Amino acid sequence: MTRAWWTKFILLTITVILSLVYIFPTVANLDPEKTKFPFKQKINLGLDLQGGLYLVLGVDFNKVYKDVVERQGDSFKARLKEKGINVTSMKLIREGLPLDDVHFSVEFEPSKRNEAHDVLKKEYWTLRLVAETGASFELGLSRDFKTEVRDRTVNQSIEVIRNRIDEFGVSEPVIASQGTDRLVVELPGVREIDRAKDLIGRTAKLEFKIVDDKSMKQGDVAALIEEIEKKNDIAYKEGQKFSDYVRKINELAKGKIAADTEIAFERTRGPTGQEIGRTPYLLHSKAEVTGDDLQDASVQFDQETRRPNVSFSLNPHGAALFDKVTGEHVSHRLAIVLDNIVHSAPVIQTRISGGRGQITLGRGDGDALMREAKDLAIVLRAGALPAQLEFLEQRVVGPSLGQDSIRKGATASIIGSLAVFLFVAFYYRISGVIAVFSLLLNVVFVLALLVGLEATLTLPGIAGIALTVGIAVDSNVVIYERIREELRQGKNAQGAVGAGFQKAIRTILDANVTNAAAAIVLFMYGTGPIKGFAVTLLVGIVTTLFTAVFVCRLIFDAYLKRLENKGIQTLSI
């Protein structure tokens, strides 16, 4: 054998050994926690094969509508001022109205009523006029715009959740709307259920708010909270919704804190995740900069302490706002608020330009901090959920049904593959045996790549593996029929094999490129099991090209050399 052949053989041997190492934990069903085998990663199975978490989430549109009304009101007020209409007051109206139909009133100069009416009619189809006097309008969201907001909120929630789950490491999730105000989420093989639910349900609204130290010092805020808790017999207990506790505190603090301010907390947690401390802050209610302007977030390490933190960057709009607010509030504290929880409140030493900042995490051990930093960066990168989500139903799908599906799917695939193997071996004789060997390696390579890519194998994915065998056989048939044609033209075995592989490669590439195009479309636009099928099919196409062209040719060269040594001129094909 030539040096080139031995080089290829060594490369193939290394590839096969690595593939067997990758699939051994799955085939042997090793326990990753107990085994001493150096490689522990197993094939991820979909919800239909291994069970997982099934969630139904309700979407709270009331807060969404309130936020939209506030933004529309600010926009309308600013537009009136641009038109030279002096706005004397603007306020939200919630009393006596449904929670999903908040209004706002805007008062202006009586003489400018017609001009204000023209602005509303021509530029704000999003608003409806509820009532009017000579000097004021009462406005709410139009019906068409509310429908648009509802649809946009549901679709955006689905995409945000999908992004979070993908970055969290759950492959092939199913996220879909149910009715008009519910979402269904299926997470296959999730073990850290509470962490997954926390990551999905967080509104992840990043806000930068100025701390109001002028009207009330931090110690006075703590004393006020202690007084409220004692007088009203309320206290936060681990396991309760912290947001409910904060809302009660703010409701009972009305009239005792400055208008347009709110109380928020910084929470310190111990190594086990339990709260060990809580620091109150009095913040201006208005967020100077929000996560809508967030461009990117990543985990970085402090060069001195080597502790992880989260660095973020803002888009040009956010950078300009950040530059403005830090310039106007030098020596004030700026609270970094995520989901209404203060993460830190550093003093603004100087104007911060460039739109870059850092969130410093609390205290804890390295692993806990790193995990917190990764989760925080995931949430920030994924973006803010447009609505608060409520978990209405949680169901853990057991693996018993999945094991039955695996058994039947594997049995069907094995029977189908064996039928193909027997036919190929019978029809093409020794060359067919070579094809069968390459097909077996093909399946091994597919499974190894699924492990390496951390892809998820679903029931349609098993069908994709069976289809891969069929595609690979088709490639072998094209090569072998071309070799037969060359032999009929009088070429010797060596020449026929060389010409057969060379002339068949274009046909094989054309066929597999066509299949790959279809698989890519399924992967891009499909969800759940369909995407799993597409992934398996794409991986199978790559391995098919490798085994049909490289592996088969390598084995054929060894076979031809053996025939040559024995003086045999005919090829068993």
Side-chain angles (χ1 to χ4, degrees):
M1 308 303 291
T2 64
R3 180 177 296 180
W5 186 91
W6 281 109
T7 301
K8 294 178 181 177
F9 178 75
I10 292 172
L11 175 62
L12 176 60
T13 302
I14 293 173
T15 305
V16 172
I17 292 173
L18 286 176
S19 298
L20 291 175
V21 169
Y22 267 59
I23 68 174
F24 179 73
T26 301
V27 174
N29 196 24
L30 299 181
D31 186 345
E33 303 295 331
K34 298 178 180 179
T35 182
K36 294 182 180 180
F37 193 72
F39 188 79
K40 299 177 173 59
Q41 179 68 37
K42 300 169 70 173
I43 293 179
N44 296 319
L45 300 178
L47 190 70
D48 54 353
L49 296 182
Q50 68 165 333
L53 185 62
Y54 176 88
L55 300 170
V56 178
L57 296 84
V59 184
D60 181 8
F61 288 101
N62 297 331
K63 187 176 185 302
V64 175
Y65 290 141
K66 174 181 173 294
D67 291 342
V68 171
V69 166
E70 287 180 337
R71 290 197 296 269
Q72 288 290 313
D74 290 340
S75 174
F76 186 62
K77 177 182 177 181
R79 187 59 178 155
L80 291 181
K81 287 185 177 180
E82 289 177 4
K83 292 289 187 178
I85 303 172
N86 184 36
V87 177
T88 57
S89 78
M90 191 189 76
K91 63 179 181 179
L92 286 179
I93 303 174
R94 305 181 69 177
E95 294 183 3
L97 296 174
L99 293 175
D100 64 346
D101 192 24
V102 179
H103 298 171
F104 71 90
S105 66
V106 56
E107 296 182 2
F108 45 82
E109 303 172 58
S111 60
K112 300 287 186 177
R113 176 179 174 277
N114 290 335
E115 289 91 330
H117 205 282
D118 287 342
V119 172
L120 176 65
K121 184 177 180 180
K122 294 178 180 179
E123 302 183 30
Y124 286 87
W125 68 272
T126 56
L127 299 174
R128 76 180 195 277
L129 186 61
V130 178
E132 64 176 305
T133 63
S136 69
F137 289 162
E138 182 178 334
L139 303 168
L141 298 180
S142 66
R143 179 175 299 178
D144 291 342
F145 186 54
K146 284 183 70 175
T147 301
E148 180 181 309
V149 169
R150 177 179 288 270
D151 293 341
R152 186 175 63 206
T153 300
V154 170
N155 293 331
Q156 186 179 343
S157 296
I158 290 174
E159 290 306 313
V160 169
I161 291 173
R162 192 184 309 280
N163 290 339
R164 292 183 182 179
I165 290 172
D166 287 343
E167 293 203 51
F168 180 73
V170 180
S171 302
E172 310 303 335
V174 175
I175 306 115
S177 60
Q178 186 182 76
T180 59
D181 60 352
R182 293 188 177 188
L183 303 176
V184 174
V185 179
E186 295 181 9
L187 306 178
V190 172
R191 292 179 176 83
E192 296 174 285
I193 294 177
D194 292 335
R195 183 182 174 207
K197 286 175 61 179
D198 177 65
L199 198 61
I200 293 169
R202 291 165 68 181
T203 56
K205 191 172 184 180
L206 177 67
E207 299 173 309
F208 296 86
K209 296 183 176 182
I210 299 297
V211 179
D212 186 4
D213 287 322
K214 290 185 177 180
S215 62
M216 187 176 289
K217 299 297 181 183
Q218 192 165 359
D220 296 332
V221 176
L224 174 62
I225 294 172
E226 185 178 354
E227 177 188 337
I228 291 173
E229 288 181 335
K230 186 176 181 180
K231 184 177 180 179
N232 297 276
D233 192 25
I234 61 172
Y236 173 71
K237 295 180 181 179
E238 198 72 31
Q240 296 178 340
K241 290 181 67 174
F242 190 71
S243 58
D244 291 341
Y245 165 78
V246 176
R247 187 178 66 252
K248 289 180 181 179
I249 291 293
N250 277 282
E251 288 176 354
L252 296 170
K254 284 183 178 179
K256 300 177 182 179
I257 58 177
D260 299 324
T261 63
E262 62 185 11
I263 296 172
F265 294 88
E266 179 180 2
R267 305 178 72 187
T268 306
R269 296 185 178 276
T272 60
Q274 287 189 326
E275 183 181 86
I276 59 175
R278 194 186 310 150
T279 305
Y281 292 88
L282 186 64
L283 309 177
H284 287 283
S285 300
K286 182 182 178 182
E288 303 294 342
V289 182
T290 69
D292 294 337
D293 296 310
L294 190 74
Q295 196 169 49
D296 192 20
S298 60
V299 177
Q300 304 289 342
F301 287 90
D302 188 282
Q303 296 298 322
E304 295 181 0
T305 63
R306 300 304 301 166
R307 291 165 63 86
N309 52 50
V310 179
S311 297
F312 63 89
S313 59
L314 301 164
N315 61 25
H317 176 260
L321 291 175
F322 201 68
D323 179 81
K324 180 176 181 291
V325 68
T326 53
E328 293 177 350
H329 294 89
V330 174
S331 299
H332 291 76
R333 288 192 293 170
L334 181 67
I336 301 172
V337 185
L338 184 68
D339 293 343
N340 299 318
I341 302 295
V342 178
H343 277 256
S344 62
V347 176
I348 302 173
Q349 303 289 350
T350 183
R351 180 189 296 269
I352 302 174
S353 303
R356 295 186 176 275
Q358 227 175 49
I359 298 178
T360 303
L361 304 177
R363 298 178 180 179
D365 59 42
D367 291 340
L369 280 179
M370 192 64 191
R371 179 169 166 173
E372 181 184 353
K374 286 182 178 178
D375 282 354
L376 178 56
I378 286 172
V379 173
L380 294 180
R381 284 198 304 270
L385 276 170
Q388 179 71 42
L389 300 179
E390 180 182 0
F391 290 93
L392 302 178
E393 181 183 349
Q394 171 186 332
R395 198 163 67 234
V396 178
V397 180
S400 57
L401 180 61
Q403 290 300 322
D404 185 59
S405 298
I406 293 174
R407 185 174 61 255
K408 291 183 178 179
T411 301
S413 298
I414 290 172
I415 292 174
S417 298
L418 282 176
V420 171
F421 293 164
L422 290 173
F423 175 79
V424 171
F426 172 78
Y427 192 74
Y428 291 110
R429 292 175 284 184
I430 293 178
S431 298
V433 174
I434 295 174
V436 169
F437 180 73
S438 69
L439 291 174
L440 290 172
L441 288 184
N442 195 359
V443 175
V444 170
F445 293 153
V446 169
L447 296 177
L449 281 174
L450 289 177
V451 176
L453 296 173
E454 297 185 0
T456 296
L457 181 64
T458 60
L459 198 57
I462 295 177
I465 294 176
L467 181 60
T468 296
V469 173
I471 294 174
V473 167
D474 183 60
S475 299
N476 288 119
V477 168
V478 172
I479 294 172
Y480 288 176
E481 291 302 318
R482 177 64 70 174
I483 292 174
R484 281 180 167 182
E485 184 178 334
E486 297 295 327
L487 289 172
R488 284 194 292 269
Q489 293 177 3
K491 288 187 178 180
N492 60 22
Q494 186 76 33
V497 169
F501 274 93
Q502 184 179 358
K503 293 180 178 180
I505 185 65
R506 178 175 294 180
T507 303
I508 294 172
L509 283 174
D510 288 345
N512 281 281
V513 166
T514 303
N515 291 331
I520 290 171
V521 172
L522 290 175
F523 180 80
M524 291 177 60
Y525 298 102
T527 58
I530 295 176
K531 184 174 288 189
F533 173 79
V535 170
T536 308
L537 187 58
L538 282 170
V539 171
I541 289 170
V542 173
T543 57
T544 293
L545 290 172
F546 179 72
T547 54
V549 177
F550 181 84
V551 176
C552 267
R553 181 59 192 270
L554 188 67
I555 300 175
F556 256 107
D557 287 343
Y559 174 48
L560 291 173
K561 186 66 176 178
R562 184 181 179 186
L563 292 179
E564 182 182 336
N565 292 336
K566 291 184 175 183
I568 300 174
Q569 300 298 320
T570 59
L571 187 65
S572 178
I573 187 170

